[in-house]
Amino acid sequence: MNRFEYASPSTLTEALALLTDTWGQTEILAGGTDLITSLKQNLTTPRRVVSLKAVSDLKKIEVRGTEVRIGAMTSLAELSAHPAIRQHFPSLVEAVEGIASPQIIAMGTVGGDLCQRPRCWYYRQGFGLLAQQEGRSMVPEGDNRYHAIYGNKGPAYFVSPSSLAPGLIALGAALTLAAPPAPAQRVEPAAPAVEPAARAKRREVKCQAFFRVPQAPGERETDLRPNEILTEITIPLRGLRNSTYEVRHRKSLDWPLVTASVAFDYSADVIGIAKRPRRGFEPPAEPVQPAARAPVVVLGHVAPVPWVSERAAALLDGKSIDESVAAQCGEAAASGATPLSRNGYKVQLVKVAVKRALLAASGKKG
Amino acid sequence: MAKVAWPVEEKRSLMGRRISRLDGPLKSSGRAKYTYDVNLPNMLYAKILSSPHAAAVVESVDTKAAEKMAGVEAVMVLRKPGERVDWAGQEIAAVAAVTEELATEAVGKIKVSYKVERPRMDDRDSSKGEGRVRSKSSGDATQALQDAAVVAEGRYGCTAITHCCLEPHGQVAEFRDGELRLWASTQNVSGYAGQLTGAAELPANKIHVNGRFMGGGFGSKFGPDRWGIVGVELAKKTGRPVKLMLEREQELPIAGQRPSAYAEVEIGATEDGTITAWKSKAWGSGGMGRAGAPPLPYIFRDIPNLETASQGIPINRGPARAWRAPNHPQGCLITMSAMEDLAAKLEMDALEFFIKNLHYTRMPEVYREELQIAADMIGYGKKAHHRGDPTPGPIKRGLGMSLHTWGGAGHDSTCDLTIHSDGSVIANIGSQDLGTGTLTVITIVVAETLGLPLEAVQVNIGRNAYPPDGASGGSTTVGGVSSSSRRAATAALNELLEKVAPELGVSPDRLEAAAGKIQEIDNPQRSMTWQQACALLGQASITRQGRHSRSGAGELTSSGVGGAQMADVSVDIETGVITLNELVAVQDCGLIIDLKTAESQVLGGVIMGITYALYEEAIYDPQTGRMLNADMEFYKLAGLADIGDLKVHMMTGKGYDDRGVIGLGEPPVISPGAAISNAVANAIGVRVGTLPLTPDKVISALVEGGLLS
């Protein structure tokens, strides 16, 4: 860990003014459960750390009409204890409970969960996000038991570590990212802070679009820019059934091996469909009531991004869920996986996780 | 006169009861100061630069930038150009600086160039064995296997694991007034100084070691090690106290490994389930150190037709060290797995099969009794089924069992005990408490011997100023310290009885110490209080020494224990995730001094065993040889949610108590791997050959067995 300047602004505009345009110069501190270890491992050596603890309007959960807005600094404990979240989004509660560490649940934040860096052990040992040595990835011939089985044609092999992202994507959540007003009135590290006048610029991205697979050294795994702060997560209230199923090795604190999050309209005990490209799948014989949203199946810890399985979702349209439909959907989700030398078992885990998440969401026991 | 022999059961007031460890409140409140907590005025922090390469030659080491930094007080090169590196993490250089952060930063500024070689990392390929093949044979195993009605063949083993002590290795060293003071996290307080006389350039009598509390050793902390020597050298060089504790990421790859062990086994039996032959070929790696040689066949040593061979595979991994019950867990896993596989092939109940073959063990009656108790505790009769749980659905349940043994004779020990004229008692032993309750059991022995409450006795351990005691390894401590302290206390008491006898008008051999009094045996009315008795000493006091020597152990201690464990698991055959429902441990350790700390010792061993059975593995990159999980994130230890319901039964009474005190540290850690592996095989119908029993391996075994597509 290098010496750095510590800033604790009390407003978002102040916080944004303390960030810079290039990665590595500044880091944002939320709960610290990832950043502190990254600092200790010298994975990042920022000149300034900007804490968001004192930015009070980032800590909130608001139910407004047809949506729920969650401030990025809301702790995972606050999220999973909130009555509206418990009522509408069991998928997120299950994802938080899956973390299994009271300390991380208490300290970790919703924004931090989405922005944390991957746990790939080659990355954590200093081989870079793409785990490369002399331009070649260490993963295919290395120990890749916890690496990706989708989206792993290179150069990225790590898995997205976020606990909440698969559930949020399934629920159709959007993220609000704030940037300083242009032209930036920025404070260079080690210079005294000045009061910025203009208001922050905001943009909204779908949670799914926030994550991306880096294609070259230096690229990141999210759409977040170095001078932006994730401020808010908005989840539409659509009355979707939803659930997250995690396969974990240990019951106590452990990263999941595979997770599956599902969300679907089940108003008539049949999965509702919405318009979507059919991609060669036959439409159901019986027309069903158009739904608020098509079913979504998202896998966690299997790819460099939360992995949306179109094949699995398409199979659900208009179906009533039972063990057989859920199992077929799991098979569909698992098809097309490209496991590495040591992680073929994850393909089996995908089948089970999807099946069990579907059964749980539909109120049937697996 | 009081006798040295242990009191009979009716005469014991403290021994054998459940007594909470005396340093529990200190530890749970944080008042106990571990080596890690020692901070001296003007102290420097030392950090070590480790090699990132597992096989390399150092070409150059440039320390200039580190040396120039303000606050850096000393830089030492530990591997010079031309010297080899044989495992990742090997020490290259060290820095002492005024803060820990500065020392870390300075280490990062040392530039080292290496000629890097491709490391040898594969320990699973038996053809890569090197060096001496250890073999033994009796009878004709090949013929007997041919003649056997049923033969089971299998491949079993376990990966390398580390000690993963909660408190990493390290010490604080301070030279003052021509002497060296050390606070060390060590299993060897009395023997530590002698290993540092060269580095300190002082005789051992000028080196003072403190080690009252330590955060786990498990066989990895017998000496100061390279880093301990460096810490002393840095303190000497700078003239300031130096604290050097390994970082977690350094500790795991270099400060101790349990060797991996694999074996191919053939075991044969007659139709009625009597084992007739055993043949095994074992291999494994102790890294660049000596490989282990698991005892095979384990426990069932007297199988008539035997043929065994084992060989090591040197690879570029940190050297192996003694790991709690060295070689036994590996030998146990391999043997008990093969046994259970044979029982399954015979379609015979595993418990019946184990009992039927107990005549091949050295303690058949002990094991028979223990297995029956374990079976009752776990509800074997109701739960047992042949291999493969027929219950529909993805959750399969199974039972497994295992037997183990250990020596546990007491090591050499010396105790000085003083009775003061005010009645207070002090006992000093240069031993250490690894967290097992050593301090507590010594206090119990002394208090029991003198007929006093625990509070009346002060016991000091953890300094080499006290009379020497052996290193705490191999379950040798309790035999040594209980014997030496009993002897010292008895001798001191007898001297006191000589003074009391004329006052009470009774001959000394008619007197005893009990309930805070000195009284006539069988006539407690004729007595005086302990205080009155001690007041007779006037201005003098009584000091006596008690010695225990391994060679002439006498009647107080012995060795050789047996234990049986049974595990009840549920396996999710769709995910490969195993849940330990229950594990019962039945253990003999001779005469028990403190039932509570004995049970705790068994629980601790069992939890450690569950951890290596299900979770723990030192994972190395095959390309660079670096340990990939030198952390507490992917170096997985069982948490409270993972250990299930644990039940301990200690064997006591006739046949056990009369054997005297025997060590207990190693035995309970031996069987969990085997018992859990057998329970998993019993549940799912196929063997998962190697530990840890991770979901990927369970899934592979199910696929290979045709139980999952």
Side-chain angles (χ1 to χ4, degrees):
Chain A
M1 194 186 294
N2 283 7
R3 277 162 286 189
F4 53 78
E5 176 195 318
Y6 178 79
S8 185
S10 53
T11 66
L12 182 64
T13 35
E14 281 172 13
L16 288 165
L18 289 159
L19 301 177
T20 54
D21 281 336
T22 42
W23 286 115
Q25 293 279 304
T26 54
E27 289 284 354
I28 297 167
L29 174 67
T33 60
D34 180 23
L35 183 65
I36 304 300
T37 50
S38 297
L39 290 169
K40 284 184 177 173
Q41 291 168 325
N42 282 323
L43 287 179
T44 178
T45 50
R47 292 163 64 196
R48 176 189 292 153
V49 170
V50 180
S51 168
L52 299 183
K53 275 200 185 83
V55 184
S56 57
D57 50 348
L58 293 180
K59 207 175 171 76
K60 61 175 182 191
I61 298 176
E62 292 171 359
V63 184
R64 282 199 211 159
T66 58
E67 60 188 29
V68 176
R69 291 176 173 229
I70 302 159
M73 286 295 286
T74 304
S75 77
L76 297 169
E78 289 160 345
L79 178 78
S80 64
H82 195 276
I85 304 295
R86 296 190 80 81
Q87 183 190 344
H88 300 293
F89 310 127
S91 172
L92 302 182
V93 176
E94 287 155 353
V96 170
E97 286 169 351
I99 295 168
S101 154
Q103 293 91 334
I104 290 178
I105 293 171
M107 290 302 294
T109 63
V110 174
D113 175 78
L114 294 166
C115 296
Q116 65 182 311
R117 310 302 310 273
R119 307 309 306 178
C120 163
W121 43 35
Y122 292 102
Y123 167 57
R124 294 279 160 180
Q125 295 222 350
F127 288 99
L129 187 58
L130 298 179
Q132 289 180 344
Q133 193 175 38
E134 291 158 12
R136 192 182 61 86
S137 172
M138 305 288 288
V139 178
E141 287 170 41
D143 198 308
N144 48 43
R145 69 183 72 187
Y146 299 130
H147 285 82
I149 57 168
Y150 296 98
N152 59 356
K153 298 295 189 200
Y157 295 91
F158 63 85
V159 295
S160 169
S162 171
S163 292
L164 296 174
L168 289 171
I169 291 171
L171 291 163
L175 312 183
T176 305
L177 309 174
Q185 192 181 10
R186 229 158 269 123
V187 187
E188 287 309 313
V194 295
E195 190 59 40
R199 288 179 59 81
K201 276 198 311 188
R202 289 170 201 268
R203 66 183 175 115
E204 193 170 87
V205 294
K206 297 298 280 179
C207 189
Q208 185 180 350
F210 180 70
F211 295 96
R212 61 186 192 191
V213 183
Q215 297 300 328
E219 286 186 22
R220 306 269 283 203
E221 68 280 15
T222 66
D223 189 29
L224 188 75
R225 293 167 199 158
N227 64 351
E228 285 182 325
I229 292 172
L230 166 60
T231 58
E232 206 165 79
I233 295 92
T234 308
I235 315 174
L237 274 170
R238 292 176 172 144
L240 302 179
R241 296 285 188 94
N242 59 92
S243 180
T244 293
Y245 188 87
E246 280 197 8
V247 182
R248 277 207 326 276
H249 183 189
R250 280 189 298 195
K251 286 166 190 64
S252 50
L253 171 66
D254 205 356
W255 293 100
L257 299 169
V258 164
T259 72
S261 296
V262 298
F264 49 83
D265 185 312
Y266 210 55
S267 35
D269 274 4
V270 190
I271 289 188
I273 54 167
K275 284 196 175 132
R276 72 152 96 220
R278 304 293 334 151
R279 290 196 188 163
F281 286 90
E282 287 298 312
E286 294 291 316
V288 284
Q289 201 65 21
R293 194 158 182 273
V296 185
V297 177
V298 189
L299 308 174
H301 290 263
V302 296
V305 294
W307 191 253
V308 178
S309 178
E310 301 276 356
R311 287 187 218 215
L315 203 91
L316 291 171
D317 286 348
K319 297 263 172 62
S320 184
I321 294 191
D322 58 17
E323 178 90 24
S324 155
V325 168
Q328 280 172 39
C329 186
E331 293 285 341
S335 67
T338 52
L340 304 167
S341 58
R342 295 207 51 168
N343 63 6
Y345 70 98
K346 282 191 168 190
V347 179
Q348 166 64 23
L349 300 187
V350 165
K351 296 180 195 175
V352 187
V354 169
K355 180 178 81 172
R356 293 185 183 177
L358 282 169
L359 290 169
S362 66
K364 296 197 173 71
K365 211 173 159 281
Chain B
M1 301 291 272
K3 291 190 179 56
V4 164
W6 296 118
V8 295
E9 194 172 351
E10 310 78 69
K11 288 278 187 181
R12 291 177 215 148
S13 61
L14 295 167
M15 286 176 70
R17 278 174 45 194
R18 279 197 175 76
I19 294 170
S20 296
R21 71 184 62 211
L22 300 175
D23 49 6
L26 284 179
K27 288 182 171 178
S28 51
S29 65
R31 280 173 291 156
K33 294 296 172 214
Y34 290 77
T35 297
Y36 220 117
D37 301 320
V38 173
N39 292 305
L40 303 178
N42 207 29
M43 186 179 80
L44 300 174
Y45 295 83
K47 291 288 167 193
I48 284 184
L49 174 67
S50 308
S51 167
H53 307 293
V57 177
V58 176
E59 286 183 326
S60 66
V61 185
D62 179 357
T63 58
K64 281 192 217 77
E67 278 165 18
K68 272 190 210 144
M69 288 173 64
V72 170
E73 299 294 311
V75 179
M76 280 174 65
V77 176
L78 308 176
R79 271 201 157 53
K80 298 193 169 54
E83 289 187 291
R84 283 199 60 78
V85 167
D86 289 316
W87 58 88
Q90 218 166 351
E91 312 82 26
I92 304 296
V95 169
V98 293
T99 67
E100 196 171 359
E101 292 76 15
L102 208 55
T104 307
E105 206 178 324
V107 156
K109 293 210 161 133
I110 299 173
K111 292 190 191 72
V112 187
S113 69
Y114 302 89
K115 185 170 178 293
V116 181
E117 301 161 11
R118 177 102 183 170
R120 294 174 59 174
M121 298 306 297
D122 183 9
D123 62 352
R124 294 193 186 228
D125 180 354
S126 62
S127 71
K128 291 184 176 158
E130 270 182 29
R132 188 163 74 91
V133 178
R134 293 181 232 209
S135 58
K136 66 168 189 244
S137 72
S138 69
D140 187 340
T142 306
Q143 188 59 48
L145 283 167
Q146 268 172 27
D147 297 344
V150 179
V151 174
E153 292 172 24
R155 192 177 154 130
Y156 315 100
C158 43
T159 58
I161 60 174
T162 83
H163 298 68
C164 203
C165 310
L166 261 188
E167 181 183 43
H169 286 61
Q171 71 187 15
V172 176
E174 180 190 36
F175 284 90
R176 192 203 276 180
D177 306 327
E179 304 198 342
L180 173 60
R181 298 200 299 158
L182 289 164
W183 289 260
S185 184
T186 181
Q187 297 174 240
N188 191 4
V189 164
S190 289
Y192 200 83
Q195 302 178 62
L196 281 170
T197 52
E201 296 173 6
L202 286 173
N205 63 5
K206 297 219 184 293
I207 301 176
H208 309 292
V209 180
N210 296 277
R212 191 169 163 210
F213 299 104
M214 62 99 73
F218 312 110
S220 69
K221 289 181 177 169
F222 291 125
D225 285 305
R226 182 74 183 131
W227 42 89
I229 290 168
V230 168
V232 167
E233 287 171 345
L234 286 169
K236 195 168 170 57
K237 203 168 165 177
T238 57
R240 292 170 66 170
V242 169
K243 182 178 197 170
L244 195 161
M245 305 298 293
L246 293 184
E247 296 290 318
R248 176 68 52 195
E249 64 190 37
Q250 294 178 318
E251 165 95 1
L252 262 57
I254 69 173
Q257 302 261 321
R258 187 178 86 177
S260 60
Y262 302 94
E264 281 160 3
V265 179
E266 288 172 84
I267 178 171
T270 58
E271 235 160 85
D272 75 344
T274 305
I275 302 172
T276 54
W278 170 281
K279 202 177 201 179
S280 62
K281 179 188 173 190
W283 67 95
S285 182
M288 293 306 281
R290 214 155 52 90
L296 291 175
Y298 187 62
I299 302 286
F300 296 88
R301 290 167 60 185
D302 298 334
I303 292 172
N305 300 293
L306 285 179
E307 197 179 312
T308 68
S310 78
Q311 198 179 25
I313 301 178
I315 61 171
N316 293 101
R317 207 167 62 195
R321 294 180 176 205
W323 191 104
R324 204 169 182 175
N327 292 318
H328 282 233
Q330 297 99 315
C332 181
L333 172 80
I334 292 165
T335 306
M336 303 302 155
S337 298
M339 294 270 300
E340 204 270 353
D341 280 357
L342 183 55
K345 212 161 173 188
L346 284 157
E347 294 183 5
M348 194 168 166
D349 173 75
L351 178 58
E352 188 191 337
F353 175 72
F354 271 62
I355 288 173
K356 190 173 191 82
N357 287 288
L358 285 177
H359 59 287
Y360 293 138
T361 72
R362 304 288 165 90
M363 290 186 281
E365 288 318 310
V366 171
Y367 290 129
R368 191 188 316 275
E369 193 178 358
E370 288 180 338
L371 278 171
Q372 272 151 3
I373 292 169
D376 288 344
M377 285 168 75
I378 209 160
Y380 191 89
K382 276 194 185 140
K383 289 185 196 162
H385 55 73
H386 286 304
R387 182 171 277 196
D389 180 2
T391 313
I395 307 299
K396 306 294 182 193
R397 202 160 169 174
L399 294 178
M401 69 198 68
S402 173
L403 301 172
H404 58 258
T405 187
W406 190 256
H411 58 214
D412 290 355
S413 177
T414 321
C415 173
D416 279 353
L417 183 136
T418 299
I419 300 172
H420 290 288
S421 57
D422 68 344
S424 65
V425 175
I426 188 163
N428 295 331
I429 306 185
S431 188
Q432 50 277 319
D433 192 328
L434 275 52
T436 54
T438 302
L439 180 86
T440 307
V441 298
I442 299 168
T443 310
I444 292 171
V445 166
V446 172
E448 177 80 60
T449 306
L450 302 179
L452 295 172
L454 292 168
E455 303 75 52
V457 176
Q458 166 77 38
V459 173
N460 295 315
I461 59 170
R463 301 182 84 134
N464 66 336
Y466 303 137
D469 189 69
S472 287
S475 306
T476 58
T477 306
V478 73
V481 299
S482 62
S483 167
S484 66
S485 58
R486 172 76 176 176
R487 288 166 198 278
T490 307
L493 174 62
N494 281 334
E495 191 168 326
L496 183 65
L497 297 184
E498 296 277 0
K499 299 250 191 266
V500 173
E503 300 291 322
L504 289 178
V506 182
S507 81
D509 57 349
R510 291 287 307 142
L511 289 173
E512 65 179 2
K517 292 188 293 185
I518 302 296
Q519 63 193 27
E520 189 179 3
I521 295 168
D522 300 329
N523 183 25
Q525 286 84 0
R526 183 168 290 200
S527 67
M528 65 171 74
T529 66
W530 176 262
Q531 266 68 24
Q532 289 166 338
C534 294
L536 299 173
L537 298 172
Q539 292 182 24
S541 60
I542 298 170
T543 298
R544 277 289 176 268
Q545 187 164 82
R547 297 192 63 177
H548 176 83
S549 86
R550 201 178 170 105
S551 47
E555 75 262 60
L556 294 178
T557 68
S558 66
S559 71
V561 299
Q565 295 185 8
M566 286 193 189
D568 171 351
V569 304
S570 290
V571 186
D572 184 331
I573 57 165
E574 292 182 344
T575 62
V577 174
I578 296 164
T579 302
L580 180 67
N581 302 315
E582 187 176 352
L583 193 145
V584 301
V586 183
Q587 186 64 51
D588 132 47
C589 68
L591 178 67
I592 291 170
I593 296 170
D594 181 355
L595 190 52
K596 186 170 184 179
T597 54
E599 287 168 345
S600 294
Q601 180 78 313
V602 175
L603 287 170
V606 164
I607 292 168
M608 206 168 175
I610 293 166
T611 289
Y612 75 69
L614 296 176
Y615 306 110
E616 205 175 355
E617 178 180 0
I619 301 171
Y620 289 84
D621 178 40
Q623 305 157 104
T624 60
R626 284 201 212 175
M627 190 173 174
L628 292 170
N629 61 342
D631 50 46
M632 300 285 266
E633 177 180 2
F634 290 110
Y635 192 84
K636 298 183 183 184
L637 303 179
L640 278 180
D642 300 305
I643 58 175
D645 186 11
L646 308 180
K647 294 197 178 97
V648 177
H649 177 90
M650 302 303 299
M651 303 299 288
T652 54
K654 201 171 155 38
Y656 296 97
D657 289 5
D658 36 305
R659 293 163 61 198
V661 174
I662 313 176
L664 181 61
E666 332 289 301
V669 87
I670 298 169
S671 269
I676 292 171
S677 180
N678 281 344
V680 169
N682 182 248
I684 68 175
V686 287
R687 169 69 55 184
V688 183
T690 61
L691 304 184
L693 303 164
T694 51
D696 56 327
K697 289 187 198 165
V698 174
I699 288 172
S700 294
L702 287 164
V703 170
E704 277 165 36
L707 299 167
L708 190 71
S709 55

